[in-house]
Amino acid sequence: MELRVLRYFLTIAEEENITRAADILHVTQPTLSRQMMQLEDELGTKLFKRSRYCIKLTEDGLFLKRRAEEILSLAENTAEVIGNRDKDIVGEITIGCTETHSMDVFAARMAEFRNLHEGVSYNIFTTNADGIKENMEKGVFELGLVTEPVDTTRFETLHLQDKERWGALVREDDPLSEKEFVYPDDVKDRPLILPVRSEVRYILEEWFGASFQDLDIAARYNLGRNVAVMVRSGLGTGICFDLFSSHEGLRFIPMAPPLMTGSAVCWKKNQLFSTVTRSFIDFLRNAD
């Protein structure tokens, strides 16, 4: 299976038309068709569902598409690493970040690394932990800053020292705002705004105890940026990190017993990175 043929295959999969793919690849249509038939013969399966107007991938074709993207990305990264081994550390690092106070420390590390290597730049995308993991699997993100709990069995992980404390976010005119701490009984009968992630649901279930199954869930969120807006509107009581207590008219009340969550920087295991990304990972590992 040649890299050239995999590039042909991916172009057809993207265009869903062999004529357009042939034009893009600057090969003749018969040549391209013959290459794909040979690839199907080599793999012993049909990769395409052909119709009069377009070409769609079969289930095996979709599987090969995912693997072909990984193989070509690995080949390109390998060439880049070898080609840049003796050059200055320059280039882009693509990072997925969730909402966390640990971003303060992480951003400081980014700045320190860039002060050492002015040719470095960052592409930062904000999403939740599930989105970060998915995009690292696909090779879209090279690194991820995630809040725990999160399954990182397929990733290398560097745990950060900062912890997030969970609590209830309420309006200042809410009677609950007078409390120093919030207990399960204080919120179990209220409409609640909860995180959507299953891993977080499990730790909240442990904190709430038996009452968790009977909670009135007004909304679920994947990113906390809109929790403050929903709380202010009267939709419910937000269960979240202390990221939004500075919003006017709102108050954050820590949970008791305390519920704490850590953060971690992670990257895909056995991934061959560019020189700049590998250097940044080594820098993070050796940082105080």
Side-chain angles (χ1 to χ4, degrees):
M1 201 185 312
E2 299 179 17
L3 295 180
R4 172 179 54 83
V5 175
L6 290 180
R7 291 191 180 94
Y8 288 178
F9 168 77
L10 287 178
T11 304
I12 296 172
E14 183 174 331
E15 295 299 320
E16 297 183 347
N17 184 286
I18 198 162
T19 301
R20 287 199 300 269
D23 290 340
I24 292 171
L25 295 166
H26 303 293
V27 298
T28 65
Q29 182 176 332
T31 298
L32 192 54
S33 296
R34 185 172 61 255
Q35 292 280 1
M36 291 305 101
M37 286 189 289
Q38 290 174 351
L39 180 61
E40 289 180 321
D41 289 342
E42 180 182 349
L43 297 175
T45 188
K46 290 294 182 183
L47 301 173
F48 302 100
K49 293 180 287 188
R50 297 170 173 86
S51 70
R52 185 175 178 180
Y53 300 105
C54 68
I55 296 177
K56 297 290 186 180
L57 294 179
T58 63
E59 185 175 347
D60 286 338
L62 289 170
F63 177 78
L64 178 62
K65 180 176 183 290
R66 292 191 294 270
R67 288 300 174 89
E69 289 170 340
E70 292 178 357
I71 291 168
L72 290 175
S73 176
L74 182 61
E76 291 169 1
N77 285 342
T78 301
E80 181 181 354
V81 169
I82 294 174
N84 291 329
R85 192 173 299 278
D86 297 323
K87 297 180 181 178
D88 293 336
I89 296 176
V90 297
E92 296 181 344
I93 306 173
T94 302
I95 307 170
C97 298
T98 190
E99 296 173 322
T100 170
H101 284 112
S102 294
M103 185 62 186
D104 293 342
V105 174
F106 189 66
R109 295 288 183 257
M110 292 166 59
E112 291 170 12
F113 186 71
R114 194 171 190 276
N115 286 337
L116 294 173
H117 309 287
E118 295 181 355
V120 173
S121 63
Y122 305 96
N123 296 320
I124 303 298
F125 296 86
T126 303
T127 182
N128 67 351
D130 291 335
I132 291 171
K133 287 169 54 182
E134 179 181 351
N135 279 288
M136 284 196 297
E137 287 282 8
K138 293 178 178 178
V140 177
F141 298 164
E142 296 169 290
L143 302 176
L145 173 62
V146 299
T147 51
E148 299 167 319
V150 61
D151 180 8
T152 57
T153 53
R154 293 175 58 84
F155 303 94
E156 300 283 353
T157 306
L158 179 64
H159 294 278
L160 303 180
Q161 293 183 352
D162 288 357
K163 300 288 185 181
E164 303 287 357
R165 182 161 190 178
W166 287 80
L169 188 67
V170 299
R171 300 197 312 193
E172 287 183 347
D173 60 0
D174 189 312
L176 198 62
S177 67
E178 302 299 323
K179 290 183 171 290
E180 184 177 0
F181 299 101
V182 61
Y183 295 85
D185 285 346
D186 294 325
V187 292
K188 67 179 183 179
D189 297 320
R190 290 167 161 254
L192 299 177
I193 303 168
L194 299 181
V196 72
R197 287 182 55 223
S198 57
E199 292 94 342
V200 177
R201 186 184 70 214
Y202 297 144
I203 66 169
L204 290 177
E205 184 174 359
E206 185 176 345
W207 186 81
F208 275 101
S211 64
F212 185 82
Q213 303 302 323
D214 300 319
L215 294 179
D216 177 13
I217 301 175
R220 295 186 184 274
Y221 64 90
N222 72 328
L223 288 175
R225 64 187 65 181
N226 288 323
V227 174
V229 177
M230 290 188 284
V231 170
R232 189 182 292 113
S233 72
L235 181 62
T237 297
I239 303 298
C240 56
F241 302 151
D242 184 12
L243 292 173
F244 313 102
S245 56
S246 61
H247 285 244
E248 184 177 354
L250 300 178
R251 180 162 183 263
F252 178 86
I253 311 156
M255 286 177 168
L259 185 59
M260 310 294 290
T261 299
S263 300
V265 181
C266 53
W267 55 92
K268 193 174 178 181
K269 287 181 178 179
N270 303 316
Q271 179 76 37
L272 184 63
F273 291 110
S274 64
T275 300
V276 62
T277 302
R278 174 54 59 190
S279 298
F280 183 54
I281 290 172
D282 291 342
F283 175 80
L284 292 174
R285 280 175 162 160
N286 294 320
D288 294 333

